Amino acid sequence: MRVDTLFNPTLQHWLDIAGIFVFAVSGALLAVRRNFDVFGIAVLAEVTGLGGGIFRDVVIGAVPPAAFTDLGYFLTPLVSTALVFFLHPQVERINKAVNVFDAAGLGLFCVTGTLKGHEYGLGLTSSVVMGLATAAGGGVLRDVLANEVPSLLRWDREIYAVPAIVGSSAVALLIHLDEVRPTTAVGAALLAFVLRLLALRYNWRAPRAWKRSSATLDAERAGSDRA
């Protein structure tokens, strides 16, 4: 089933805008923390909000990407930029609420990314990868541009990729069973959303290498400092 026929097109558009807005806010906040100027804040907001979708569209051949054909998609991160530029102390104070909306964006984009990948001829496994890339790609690009290890790869951050993979895999299973409906797609998005919220609530983190203790890591750091 095509993404644009699964949901009401107007509803789908505004859900996309909402997800882009929240992702862009997280990029703009990181830029402020890194003491970027207004141009740097705007770049990080655009990359975070649109990067995952652009990467997906380029890979699957849906060109030009939607971010370049819909002015609303491009302007939304600029609205986030203005908001954070002038009101970043207040935005920081509602960071928990931002995280909730970010989790909602994660759930939405992993579902739409998986569906769109399959719509353009990818197999189920590759479609799951596209779902993950759509949901998390912008955040990875944001961290790379800010000269940080991507949050997706850091053991000291709550799991982010896992909820996206679970949501995308649920969609792939629905496709395999020919059970993709608005209700089941929303259920897959809610699954990813709830997993992400639980990870934030209980500080769930992905395991590190087997038998790799923090003491070993501390010893390596000490040796590196001496060198």
Side-chain angles (χ1 to χ4, degrees), residues 58-171:
V58 169
V59 168
I60 65 179
V63 292
F68 296 104
T69 59
D70 189 317
L71 187 61
Y73 287 0
F74 181 79
L75 293 179
T76 297
L78 297 183
V79 175
S80 299
T81 298
L83 175 69
V84 172
F85 184 82
F86 291 106
L87 300 173
H88 62 89
Q90 290 85 350
V91 176
E92 289 278 14
R93 283 199 290 269
I94 61 168
N95 194 49
K96 287 185 178 180
V98 172
N99 284 337
V100 172
F101 287 108
D102 180 86
L106 172 77
L108 171 68
F109 286 170
C110 74
V111 169
T112 58
T114 304
L115 288 170
K116 192 167 184 178
H118 188 264
E119 175 187 326
Y120 275 77
L122 295 184
L124 293 180
T125 301
S126 298
S127 297
V128 170
V129 174
M130 282 300 98
L132 172 61
T134 306
V140 172
L141 292 173
R142 171 201 65 204
D143 293 342
V144 169
L145 288 177
N147 198 29
E148 293 192 356
V149 176
S151 299
L152 200 69
L153 306 178
R154 294 181 58 174
W155 71 270
D156 58 339
R157 298 289 177 85
E158 296 84 359
I159 55 173
Y160 196 90
V162 173
I165 292 172
V166 170
S168 298
S169 298
V171 175

